[in-house]
Amino acid sequence: MATAQPTTDVLAEKHRPTLDQALATLRSRAYWSPYPEHPKAYGADGSLDAEAGLAAHRAVLNTRFDLDQPGTDGWTGGEISPYGPELGVEYPHADPDVLLPAMRAGLPGWRDAGPEARALVCLEILARISARTHEFAHAVMHTSGQAFLMAFQAGGPHAQDRGLEAVAYAYEEQTRTPAGRASWSKPQGKRDPLELSKEFTPVGRGVALVIGCNTFPTWNGYPGLFASLATGNAVLVKPHPRAVLPLALTVRTAREVLAEHGFDPNLVALATERPGEGIAKTLALRPEIRIIDYTGSTAFGDWLEANARQAQVYTEKAGVNTVLIDSTDDYKGMLSNLAFSLSLYSGQMCTTPQNLLIPRDGIATDQGPKSYDEVVADLAGAVGALLGDDARANALLGALVNPDVKARLEAAAGLGEVALASREVTHPDFPDAVVRTPVVVKLDGSKPDAEAAYLSECFGPVSFAVSVDSTADALELLRRTIREKGAMTVGAYTTSASTERAVEEVCLEESAQLSLNLTGGVYVNQTAAFSDFHGSGGNPAANAALCDGAFVSNRFRVVEVRRQA
């Protein structure tokens, strides 16, 4: 395409150092991020500060969000913030028979631009999003229910990190094969050698579909979006109907950047649905859709894997995250770390621990032996102390994202003995927000009626303290849980080298990511881009990891053209 070289020239000076650093960090697995985490870091170099970001967010409310997309046949909306207010934004509703062909029309030019130009354009999109992090934070907060600082960090720089990570992996995988023409010469003894000129081109599969989630629309959406775009595909973004705004802002930004640099803006488009329409299934089976990224329920993820046979499907589904507690040399630190992990965003994270496996005879600690009842009571006390102040509780908990979470929380109290009751917290700025502290329920792991509870995902601020006969029994239950139900995260506390090795062996054999003896400011439900793998793709919780080479390599194929030299 004629614009590919100028695009590379214009953007290389600005973004090539970032791409090179991302590639280096993938290999070192060290800490690095080009996107600031602190809200006060914004306001210079054209970025929006806190006041401007809030103003930009408010300016979008109660408006029609026009994207100038082909095939718009109406408008739809209806988002209501978990904090109470209606957003009032209307989005274009697309006719896929018109939109999908228009998206495919831009693929040849995007393909011909090559891996570097595509990566640099993606980095420019991310840079524009980063400059508007304050605006995006309000959009994430008022669609997911995250507290503002979490929405700012997880929905902003951390999501942008994951997008950049996907671009770096995509670039690395596409450039394993030499770019341009390669000469091939095979000696034939006394005869002239056989000579060919060979050209290798990474070619995207076609149109990718990103099916967004309600809780982390950008953090979970950006890896698939940018992995597909960077590997030469067009991307159709289908947001969760309760969390459209963050991804609509993303699509608008991407379309602007693509058009400015000479590419078809329809390479990225938005597909919103009318109430009850359920267009995800319809779109997923379209022959034009060749890649699907999905985060959400196991039932729909399984349906996609079984039925969307024309597409390469990447899913992150439900799992039962488990922490095995055998012993600790920092009892206070363990309790504090677990209390924060159980409380953050009201447990509405796919990585939040649900089951705490504790020997019924108790554990050894630096404060002396602690019985099962003491451990559970002390953990309940730690959670209560952490969330005792309403201002702190609101900052950590955010709001419950939907009524189903509230219903599960209330039902959990009837499943066993309640060690920590949930309480209602009033939000000073949003009186209609539903804010609840976690519930901790004691269950006897040896009783069949308890098994139905702790072997089912209970998404939200619900944790089960499961008593087991021994650490050996805990290891077997851990193995069974991962194998049958899946796990995005596993945690363990032990001072025993042999127990530590046994836990590692379970996680290695069952393919689960493990965190050992966390007692400081790093928590089992947090992962860092460029260093940590989110999920493994090796157990039922997810069929892919964010992010590795496997996450990007099957989004494109290398097509070879041979010519007689």
Side-chain angles (χ1 to χ4, degrees):
M1 188 175 182
T3 58
Q5 187 60 45
T7 294
T8 303
D9 292 343
V10 168
L11 296 177
E13 183 176 357
K14 183 177 181 182
H15 296 305
R16 184 70 215 205
T18 302
L19 178 59
D20 289 340
Q21 183 60 58
L23 291 166
T25 309
L26 291 180
R27 292 184 283 272
S28 72
R29 314 308 293 185
Y31 170 76
W32 172 73
S33 172
Y35 308 116
E37 278 189 326
H38 200 287
K40 292 185 178 179
Y42 295 81
D45 302 323
S47 64
L48 301 181
D49 62 13
E51 184 177 350
L54 179 57
H57 171 69
R58 287 174 172 168
V60 172
L61 303 180
N62 302 304
T63 65
R64 181 165 281 184
F65 199 99
D66 193 4
L67 291 169
D68 194 27
Q69 290 184 173
T72 297
D73 60 8
W75 299 86
T76 186
E79 290 160 292
I80 300 175
S81 168
Y83 289 93
E86 294 184 12
L87 301 192
V89 184
E90 286 190 316
Y91 304 96
H93 182 276
D95 179 351
D97 290 333
V98 177
L99 179 58
L100 288 170
M103 297 182 73
R104 287 182 55 82
L107 288 173
W110 190 234
R111 175 200 65 214
D112 294 344
E116 182 176 36
R118 288 195 293 268
L120 294 173
V121 169
C122 287
L123 264 63
E124 175 65 15
I125 296 169
L126 285 164
R128 302 262 184 110
I129 291 170
S130 175
R132 298 167 62 191
T133 293
H134 273 280
E135 179 186 1
F136 273 74
H138 289 286
V140 172
M141 174 182 175
H142 285 291
T143 52
S144 71
Q146 295 175 31
F148 177 77
L149 185 59
M150 183 175 184
F152 183 93
Q153 293 183 339
H158 296 172
Q160 296 151 23
D161 282 340
R162 284 298 185 189
L164 174 56
E165 180 185 41
V167 173
Y169 270 111
Y171 177 82
E172 185 168 63
E173 293 298 321
Q174 290 174 98
T175 54
R176 290 186 185 278
T177 304
R181 294 190 179 183
S183 297
W184 182 87
S185 179
K186 180 179 179 181
Q188 294 293 299
K190 293 181 179 181
R191 293 175 294 169
D192 291 339
L194 298 175
E195 294 186 345
L196 293 174
S197 172
K198 303 183 180 185
E199 189 173 5
F200 305 94
T201 303
V203 179
R205 286 182 172 269
V207 180
L209 174 65
V210 174
I211 302 175
C213 69
N214 195 173
T215 49
F216 288 89
T218 56
W219 197 98
N220 278 108
Y222 283 6
L225 192 164
F226 284 100
S228 288
L229 192 61
T231 50
N233 302 281
V235 182
L236 181 60
V237 179
K238 205 298 290 185
H240 191 284
R242 286 192 292 260
V244 180
L245 184 55
L247 291 177
L249 291 168
T250 302
V251 168
R252 174 182 279 176
T253 304
R255 291 175 62 85
E256 290 171 353
V257 171
L258 286 163
E260 286 176 22
H261 292 88
F263 297 103
D264 190 333
N266 295 321
L267 287 165
V268 179
L270 188 73
T272 54
E273 59 188 294
R274 299 185 176 102
E277 185 179 9
I279 62 172
K281 278 190 174 184
T282 303
L283 291 172
L285 298 182
R286 295 277 306 205
E288 302 94 333
I289 299 299
R290 304 305 302 278
I291 301 167
I292 298 174
D293 288 275
Y294 167 75
T295 300
S297 72
T298 296
F300 191 58
D302 288 345
W303 183 90
L304 287 170
E305 291 171 6
N307 292 279
R309 305 304 295 272
Q310 85 291 350
Q312 185 70 28
V313 179
Y314 300 89
T315 59
E316 180 190 314
K317 300 174 288 189
V320 177
N321 302 318
T322 301
V323 177
L324 186 154
I325 303 176
D326 167 75
S327 54
T328 180
D329 57 8
D330 185 358
Y331 187 61
K332 181 179 179 181
M334 180 189 79
L335 295 174
S336 176
N337 191 280
L338 285 174
F340 188 92
S341 297
L342 301 184
S343 302
L344 185 62
Y345 184 33
S346 300
Q348 298 171 121
M349 302 173 70
C350 62
T351 50
T352 300
Q354 174 179 301
N355 292 346
L356 310 173
L357 308 185
I358 308 168
R360 66 181 77 257
D361 291 336
I363 67 171
T365 80
D366 56 318
Q367 298 183 17
K370 298 288 183 178
S371 69
Y372 163 83
D373 288 332
E374 287 176 312
V375 173
V376 178
D378 291 344
L379 177 59
V383 174
L386 177 67
L387 303 176
D389 176 74
D390 281 2
R392 179 190 288 179
N394 278 304
L396 286 176
L397 295 169
L400 298 189
V401 70
N402 60 52
D404 291 341
V405 176
K406 181 173 179 285
R408 281 193 294 271
L409 171 64
E410 292 171 346
L415 296 175
E417 180 185 344
V418 175
L420 176 67
S422 176
R423 71 179 182 90
E424 184 175 350
V425 179
T426 301
H427 198 292
D429 300 320
F430 300 101
D432 293 331
V434 179
V435 184
R436 299 288 189 275
T437 63
V439 63
V440 177
V441 178
K442 297 166 74 172
L443 296 175
D444 188 335
S446 66
K447 293 185 177 180
D449 59 339
E451 184 177 293
Y454 64 71
L455 282 184
S456 299
E457 187 196 30
C458 194
F459 184 76
V462 177
S463 293
F464 299 118
V466 183
S467 63
V468 293
D469 290 337
S470 65
T471 295
D473 289 322
L475 287 164
E476 286 307 307
L477 180 53
L478 172 63
R479 181 186 298 277
R480 180 187 171 198
T481 301
I482 301 170
R483 181 176 294 174
E484 295 181 7
K485 302 298 180 180
M488 295 299 294
T489 57
V490 173
Y493 290 89
T494 183
T495 58
S496 164
S498 61
T499 299
E500 180 175 318
R501 180 57 192 160
V503 176
E504 286 185 45
E505 193 63 25
V506 169
C507 290
L508 289 169
E509 291 178 357
E510 304 301 332
S511 194
Q513 312 294 16
L514 172 63
S515 297
L516 284 165
N517 297 318
L518 298 183
T519 56
V522 176
Y523 304 95
V524 67
N525 42 353
Q526 296 174 319
T527 58
F530 308 105
S531 185
D532 296 322
F533 293 106
H534 175 74
S536 70
N539 69 64
N543 73 358
L546 304 181
C547 184
D548 59 9
F551 185 69
V552 300
S553 61
N554 216 12
R555 295 172 190 263
F556 69 96
R557 311 313 296 164
V558 176
V559 177
E560 175 184 358
V561 177
R562 301 191 296 180
R563 294 178 174 87
Q564 189 72 42

